[in-house]
Amino acid sequence: MEFITEPGKQPHPDCSTMILPALSIGNVGQLAVDLLVSSTGAERIGYLDDPYTLPCVGNDAYGPIPSGDLALPLEAYQSPANAMTLVQQRSPVIKGMMVEYAKNMAEFAAASGKKHVVILSSLEFARWQRIDMSSGLQIYYLSSSNTDGTDDSCAQLRWRRLQDYDPTQRSWNYLSSLAQGSTMQESTLPFEDEPEEEDYCASLPFAALFSCLKAKGLKVTCILCYCSEGDNMADSFELAEAASKLLQLKPDNFIGK
């Protein structure tokens, strides 16, 4: 993965937190990153070129009037006032290459001095087993702070740890092994033709990113919500707000507050 800076732009040394989406149901993670980029007035500082993302090109995604600035598959923005970098992903990863993409992203994050990476993504509503909508949209999380995926800061926000996370389960264990560059015996691999219910979360893009970033020694927090395909704007607002609460972003630094 190569980082190409825009002319006259440089990464700010104080931006030690990175937020990025993991593509999933309803593109909620991407929409939430769009909201954070727009709300914080983050400035685009460059592009990431990775061989495992599909090529795409579009017009300026944030201006009220299209200015002709190209939008590419992986873009990097920064908000020094909020001490964070945001990476937006606009195209999917080539099938079968998610772990390699995640390794490249982890290498970039570590090499650029990031300390905390926040991943925004979604889960399929039909697989939600313990539904409780009494308090609105329920935020789930997964953290590298403890081996069981728990985190005190997330718990204080009354979020629930992802119930399907078990580092000893075959798929999560397999991901961890790949992230660390080791191999496993064939008998221990999660076979694609015999998937089990417990393999679902570990098969999603956020899981590969979580495992590879964790293997680099970075603090990683995944913020997740259940949703369905359709109009997911409300879900993206909730996810962006959750990230703001976790990182204690100051509303005074937001545009149009």
Side-chain angles (χ1 to χ4, degrees), residues 12-97:
H12 198 286
D14 291 341
C15 295
S16 60
T17 297
M18 184 169 81
I19 300 178
L20 72 156
L23 272 61
S24 189
I25 302 296
N27 299 324
V28 175
Q30 292 166 290
L31 291 171
V33 171
D34 275 341
L35 283 169
L36 289 168
V37 169
S38 297
S39 298
T40 61
E43 178 184 44
R44 186 170 62 188
I45 58 169
Y47 308 89
L48 292 163
D49 184 22
D50 189 85
Y52 302 117
T53 54
L54 293 173
C56 75
V57 65
N59 209 332
D60 175 32
Y62 300 109
I65 300 175
S67 61
D69 291 337
L70 294 181
L72 298 176
L74 287 170
E75 298 178 325
Y77 297 80
Q78 69 179 11
S79 174
N82 295 288
M84 68 178 184
T85 297
L86 302 105
V87 173
Q88 180 60 291
Q89 181 183 348
R90 302 193 182 282
S91 69
V93 174
I94 296 172
K95 185 177 181 180
M97 294 291 114

Side-chain angles (χ1 to χ4, degrees), residues 212-239:
C212 292
L213 289 160
K214 181 181 178 182
K216 282 291 184 181
L218 302 175
K219 179 180 180 181
V220 193
T221 305
C222 300
I223 305 179
L224 312 161
C225 69
Y226 283 90
C227 70
S228 303
E229 294 287 359
D231 183 359
N232 294 303
M233 186 58 69
D235 300 314
S236 65
F237 270 97
E238 292 279 358
L239 212 57

Side-chain angles (χ1 to χ4, degrees), residues 112-237:
S112 58
K114 305 307 177 192
K115 305 299 182 184
H116 185 194
V117 180
V118 177
I119 300 169
L120 306 181
S121 194
S122 53
L123 305 168
E124 187 178 356
F125 189 87
R127 293 179 178 269
W128 198 358
Q129 298 178 357
R130 304 173 185 174
I131 301 177
D132 179 10
M133 298 296 289
S134 59
S135 59
L137 180 70
Q138 180 63 58
I139 296 294
Y140 287 80
Y141 77 92
L142 178 61
S143 174
S144 64
S145 295
N146 297 303
T147 56
D148 62 353
T150 59
D151 181 90
D152 291 341
S153 297
C154 295
Q156 289 174 4
L157 291 169
R158 303 184 69 180
W159 299 347
R160 299 180 183 179
R161 197 215 67 171
L162 182 66
Q163 57 200 25
D164 294 333
Y165 177 67
D166 179 0
T168 64
Q169 191 266 340
R170 63 174 188 170
S171 293
W172 286 105
N173 191 29
Y174 177 51
L175 272 179
S176 178
S177 175
L178 290 179
Q180 295 172 13
S182 59
T183 58
M184 299 178 68
Q185 295 181 354
E186 185 176 352
S187 60
T188 63
L189 300 182
F191 298 104
E192 293 184 359
D193 57 345
E194 298 179 9
E196 298 180 5
E197 186 68 26
E198 61 184 8
D199 296 322
Y200 167 65
C201 284
S203 69
L204 298 178
F206 85 85
L209 287 166
F210 173 81
S211 298
C212 292
L213 289 160
K214 181 181 178 182
K216 282 291 184 181
L218 302 175
K219 179 180 180 181
V220 193
T221 305
C222 300
I223 305 179
L224 312 161
C225 69
Y226 283 90
C227 70
S228 303
E229 294 287 359
D231 183 359
N232 294 303
M233 186 58 69
D235 300 314
S236 65
F237 270 97

